[in-house]
Amino acid sequence: MSDLSDVIPRPRRTASGAGGFFELGPATEVVAGDGTERTARWLRAEVGAATGLPLAPGTGTGDAVTLSLDGALGPEGYRLDVEPTGVRLAGGDPAGLFWGAQTLRQLLGPDAFRRAPLPGRRWRLPAIRIEDAPRFGWRGLMLDVARHFMPKEGVLRYLDLMAAHKLNVLHFHLTDDQGWRIEIKRHPRLTEVGSWRSRTKFGHRASPLWEDKPHGGHYTQDDIREIVAYAAERHITVVPEIDVPGHSQAAIAAYPELGNTDVVDTGALSVWDTWGVSPNVLAPTDHTLRFYEGVFEEVLELFPSEFIHIGGDECPKEQWRRSATAQARIEELALADEDELQSWFIQHFDTWLAERGRRLIGWDEILEGGLAKGAAVSSWRGYAGGIAAARAGHDVVMCPEQQVYLDHRQHAGEDEPVPIGFVRTLEDVYRFEPVPAELTSHEAERVIGTQANVWTEVMENQQRVDYQTFPRLAAFAEVSWSTLPAPGERDFDAFERRMAAHYRRLDALGVAYRPPGGPLPWQRRPGVLGRPIDGPPPNK
């Protein structure tokens, strides 16, 4: 049994009960009201496995966990009542009920996160009432599987980890210069050629080290369907990202006609084996548009999400400046320059997606040359892009690089593996504020949520991803869910005390997080060049 104050993210309201506890045992039933079947199934599968208890369906005549829906609790809200006579869990909707079940599991103690029961454990819940609801509707984690491929089982595991932290959007970065990770049936070479590179830079792009073996992999369409269904069972939306018009060298290596063939021998290009921003970008031709419309048609069949992410970031314009084809298109469309050409490219897919009932979201570079009508913005280059987008009436997901890029190093110590970017400690992430003070209350309503981003250039396996992501994702989860004081007034000491219990949950889940005292010997990468940036990050 955990203390009620150990819950992460922190609930909105908690009150101790009249005393005592409720103990789950072999006779405890799960009474599932209408619309609660998904959470009942999850409780039997996950909590049932950890406790060894059947948690059988019941009618409520004996010891029971009773599940119900109560629309008055609001979207994703829940109320948990534990009394010595039983447990009542109500959700404002099925998602809220599920988040309440996550809290219930935390209250059972860290061993409730194991896959099989330990002998002699007793499963007690403290008498308590919790009323809770999230601050933001978009509480996201971006997972980059293009730079280093994460096998399907690893993605499913991360969906479970997200669910345990009440995160509800997986931004799935599926394509980049270094790999194409999703099967497109009408364009098979995207995975036959584009999903593998011959070698990989080890460390920052200035590092002299290489891993001289092929790296790659992709998800079949059935793999994607499984991932999306697994996420939906956990009330997580998967938002796919297909990057255009930059970050596209893997696609050009597979289909050279997609590139700027009048200025570069695109037939000689391979999937990129190093990091940074590739100069090889898509040609602004009708053929390219039709090709990617075909890609997106298959993507829409696989992903029911409202939003489709099209990237739009870091698109160098040099090839377009030298390309007669690109310049002719600028003249034909009466555009001012190459920035407006990129905006035209983005607007084409904004319209195309809107006609199919979807919404485009892209990185804040889509502001360059004019903001695409109806588009939402992932603000990554600080807050400025998100502020501009919100003031222009566009929805914003705040994910500034300087604050919540989890590939950035966690400490200034020399033992940190492949140190990238600014130091972002657990406390720094806990004091991150997604809504800039410059916005009016009306403008602030456009900030629909926030997201932590995990770019995997220097994360060659699941253990490295774990190390960079945790424990900071726990702090981020609280920022995105809980209504906290201003950053300087947040009680980090109290959060750190709650983390003492949370580390034990992560241990039970097998998460290779960064220990508070620094990396373990096997987590270090001595001699591998990073790119640390000294000083505090700019807060703008």
Side-chain angles (χ1 to χ4, degrees):
M1 180 170 68
S2 283
D3 186 283
L4 62 89
S5 64
D6 287 341
V7 174
I8 290 177
R10 190 182 76 183
R12 187 167 291 184
R13 284 184 291 275
T14 61
S16 298
F21 54 85
F22 175 78
E23 183 165 345
L24 275 65
T28 302
E29 300 173 338
V30 174
V31 180
D34 292 343
T36 70
E37 297 82 6
R38 191 182 296 181
T39 293
R41 186 163 57 243
W42 181 87
L43 280 169
R44 291 189 187 99
E46 300 296 330
V47 177
T51 61
L53 301 175
L55 302 178
T59 59
T61 55
D63 290 350
V65 177
T66 302
L67 309 178
S68 63
L69 297 180
D70 179 356
L73 294 169
E76 297 192 271
Y78 69 90
R79 181 178 60 245
L80 175 64
D81 284 297
V82 179
E83 298 173 347
T85 54
V87 177
R88 297 190 309 279
L89 176 59
D93 54 16
L97 186 77
F98 181 72
W99 305 132
Q102 299 298 326
T103 296
L104 185 152
R105 180 165 69 157
Q106 288 197 20
L107 291 172
L108 284 170
D111 288 336
F113 289 78
R114 297 186 181 276
R115 296 191 180 190
L118 300 180
R121 293 297 188 270
R122 302 182 72 175
W123 303 102
R124 292 176 170 178
L125 292 165
I128 190 175
R129 165 171 274 211
I130 294 177
E131 294 181 357
D132 201 6
R135 179 185 180 192
F136 292 109
W138 181 305
R139 305 179 302 280
L141 173 69
M142 192 227 66
L143 191 58
D144 167 20
V145 296
R147 273 48 177 273
H148 277 100
F149 179 63
M150 179 178 284
K152 180 194 70 177
E153 286 301 315
V155 177
L156 300 180
R157 173 178 177 266
Y158 259 82
L159 288 167
D160 280 328
L161 292 172
M162 290 176 64
H165 292 82
K166 300 186 176 74
L167 299 174
N168 69 345
V169 178
L170 174 65
H171 173 172
F172 209 16
H173 185 81
L174 288 163
T175 73
D176 218 297
D177 299 307
Q178 295 86 1
W180 184 285
R181 304 294 177 217
I182 178 172
E183 177 189 24
I184 302 296
K185 292 186 181 294
R186 73 189 71 185
H187 301 307
R189 286 176 59 83
L190 285 172
T191 47
E192 290 171 359
V193 174
S195 71
W196 287 92
R197 57 180 182 259
S198 61
R199 64 175 187 169
T200 299
K201 176 68 71 172
F202 195 44
H204 181 252
R205 62 180 175 270
S207 167
L209 304 176
W210 294 88
E211 184 178 43
D212 283 307
K213 66 179 182 181
H215 175 86
H218 73 276
Y219 310 105
T220 68
Q221 293 200 353
D222 280 346
D223 290 338
I224 294 291
R225 292 184 181 98
E226 180 184 357
I227 288 167
V228 169
Y230 194 87
E233 191 77 3
R234 288 147 182 80
H235 299 277
I236 295 171
T237 300
V238 184
V239 174
E241 181 181 355
I242 306 295
D243 226 326
V244 296
H247 286 287
S248 298
Q249 184 165 324
I252 296 168
Y255 291 94
E257 67 273 18
L258 295 174
N260 295 285
T261 56
D262 55 348
V263 296
V264 66
D265 179 8
T266 56
L269 294 177
S270 59
V271 178
W272 215 23
D273 57 11
T274 190
W275 317 124
V277 179
S278 170
N280 296 297
V281 302
L282 297 175
T285 63
D286 290 342
H287 173 77
T288 299
L289 296 181
R290 301 293 87 76
F291 182 98
Y292 273 87
E293 287 170 1
V295 169
F296 281 115
E297 281 179 8
E298 296 191 29
V299 167
L300 296 192
E301 290 174 4
L302 296 168
F303 296 92
S305 56
E306 175 187 7
F307 288 98
I308 302 294
H309 208 293
I310 52 75
D313 63 317
E314 296 179 327
C315 179
K317 310 296 193 300
E318 181 57 32
Q319 289 185 0
W320 287 354
R321 293 187 186 98
R322 295 163 48 208
S323 166
T325 301
Q327 293 302 311
R329 174 123 288 182
I330 289 174
E331 184 175 353
E332 170 200 342
L333 298 170
L335 302 176
D337 54 21
E338 291 77 16
D339 281 347
E340 286 197 5
L341 182 61
Q342 177 173 344
S343 183
W344 165 81
F345 199 107
I346 299 299
Q347 287 177 15
H348 174 87
F349 286 103
D350 183 25
T351 301
W352 189 91
L353 288 167
E355 289 171 348
R356 288 154 181 80
R358 306 298 185 95
R359 294 182 64 189
L360 178 148
I361 185 168
W363 302 111
D364 55 56
E365 281 92 334
I366 66 174
L367 293 160
E368 295 172 3
L371 183 63
K373 183 181 179 182
V377 169
S378 301
S379 187
W380 76 273
R381 295 180 299 178
Y383 290 99
I387 291 170
R391 287 175 172 165
H394 294 265
D395 287 342
V396 177
V397 175
M398 279 293 184
C399 48
E401 174 187 19
Q402 304 92 330
Q403 312 297 331
V404 287
Y405 268 35
L406 300 186
D407 49 310
H408 282 215
R409 59 194 173 131
Q410 302 183 66
H411 193 274
E414 294 184 1
D415 286 339
E416 289 302 307
V418 200
I420 298 295
F422 295 102
V423 172
R424 292 285 84 195
T425 65
L426 183 68
E427 181 173 0
D428 290 330
V429 174
Y430 190 66
R431 298 192 188 280
F432 164 61
E433 173 48 51
V435 180
E438 298 96 309
L439 296 180
T440 67
S441 58
H442 177 69
E443 292 165 347
E445 291 175 0
R446 286 294 182 177
V447 181
I448 60 174
T450 183
Q451 180 173 287
N453 293 345
V454 180
W455 300 102
T456 62
E457 287 94 335
V458 298
M459 301 180 211
E460 71 277 8
N461 56 37
Q462 178 177 285
Q463 288 73 28
R464 279 287 290 123
V465 176
D466 279 5
Y467 181 91
Q468 293 298 134
T469 305
F470 290 97
R472 293 183 294 180
L473 192 68
F476 174 80
E478 182 145 313
V479 168
S480 66
W481 176 277
S482 306
T483 302
L484 300 175
E489 299 169 9
R490 293 177 189 171
D491 191 346
F492 178 71
D493 289 341
F495 176 76
E496 208 167 26
R497 286 193 294 273
R498 283 183 288 134
M499 279 300 299
H502 201 66
Y503 285 123
R504 293 170 58 207
R505 297 177 193 129
L506 297 178
D507 287 334
L509 289 165
V511 177
Y513 59 85
R514 181 190 188 275
L520 300 171
W522 62 269
Q523 293 174 319
R524 300 166 188 162
R525 296 291 185 276
V528 180
L529 184 68
R531 186 181 64 91
I533 304 175
D534 293 328
N539 191 28
K540 61 182 180 178

